[in-house]
Amino acid sequence: MCAFLLVGEILNNRDEFFMKEALKQAEKAYYYDDVPIGAIIVKDNRVIAKAYNKKEKNNIATQHAEILAINKACKKINNWRLNDCTIYITLEPCLMCMGAILQSRIGRIVYGASNENFGFSNAISNDLDQFKNKYNLKIVDGVFADESRLLLQKFFREKRQ
């Protein structure tokens, strides 16, 4: 049985500070003409990994910011277990990225905008108890949600023109 804690209203200066760093990564993706999503991983109040989407750039479906950041963090600490880490993501992770987050044992997720099309909460929120492993994962949503959403909307509006 999974123990997921959804915490929607908790904001603090640390979360805001690190989410700004994730937004900077999203802006890099935007600059390189990729879907503007950024992710950073923090351990002991230090950034150990930064990444942005490279799916379009590299033509690889799994090149999401979260996956790239997890790979970098694992290399940085020389361990696949990221137990005491927080991942900051500008958009709610998709099911694939949520799986990678769970597999890497990240203990806390902070994200900006909700992902109505592919977000994990829409895909699995009713089935969380079916996971075999027991997780104590904290999830904070809505940190700089407007900024994250506006950047995504700007990107897709420009693509449609």
Side-chain angles (χ1 to χ4, degrees):
M1 177 179 247
C2 288
F4 283 80
L5 175 63
L6 293 174
V7 185
E9 297 300 320
I10 297 176
L11 293 179
N12 61 44
N13 290 337
R14 183 183 61 201
D15 287 347
E16 291 175 354
F17 174 82
F18 288 124
M19 187 57 81
K20 284 181 185 176
E21 294 301 310
L23 280 165
K24 289 178 186 176
Q25 293 299 304
E27 289 169 357
K28 286 183 181 181
Y30 176 86
Y31 177 80
Y32 290 112
D33 202 31
D34 216 316
V35 178
I37 300 169
I40 66 164
I41 297 178
V42 174
K43 181 177 177 68
D44 300 325
N45 289 318
R46 290 184 37 232
V47 175
I48 63 169
K50 300 177 184 181
Y52 55 90
N53 268 9
K54 293 185 178 178
K55 187 175 168 180
E56 296 295 330
K57 177 182 178 186
N58 295 333
N59 284 317
I60 299 173
T62 58
Q63 297 276 285
H64 290 202
E66 300 94 323
I67 303 290
L68 297 171
I70 288 169
N71 290 343
K72 288 179 180 182
C74 290
K75 286 180 184 174
K76 175 83 173 183
I77 67 168
N78 197 30
N79 196 332
W80 64 267
R81 293 175 189 87
L82 302 174
N83 300 61
D84 299 322
C85 295
T86 298
I87 187 166
Y88 292 84
I89 317 157
T90 57
L91 183 67
E92 176 185 9
C94 69
L95 189 55
M96 174 184 70
C97 292
M98 188 63 182
I101 290 166
L102 292 172
Q103 287 294 318
S104 66
R105 309 298 195 260
I106 289 174
R108 188 164 178 265
I109 300 171
V110 179
Y111 70 86
S114 294
N115 184 348
E116 295 179 16
N117 293 325
F118 296 106
F120 78 91
S121 62
N122 287 331
I124 63 171
S125 64
N126 294 327
D127 299 319
L128 293 177
D129 291 335
Q130 293 182 15
F131 283 101
K132 293 180 181 177
N133 295 325
K134 186 176 182 179
Y135 297 99
N136 185 20
L137 179 64
K138 292 179 178 57
I139 301 172
V140 179
D141 65 344
V143 180
F144 289 119
D146 290 340
E147 292 82 350
S148 298
R149 186 174 24 261
L150 288 172
L151 185 58
L152 285 160
Q153 288 171 343
K154 180 181 177 185
F155 176 80
F156 287 112
R157 186 173 44 250
E158 290 173 1
K159 287 291 178 196
R160 287 189 291 269
Q161 292 178 351

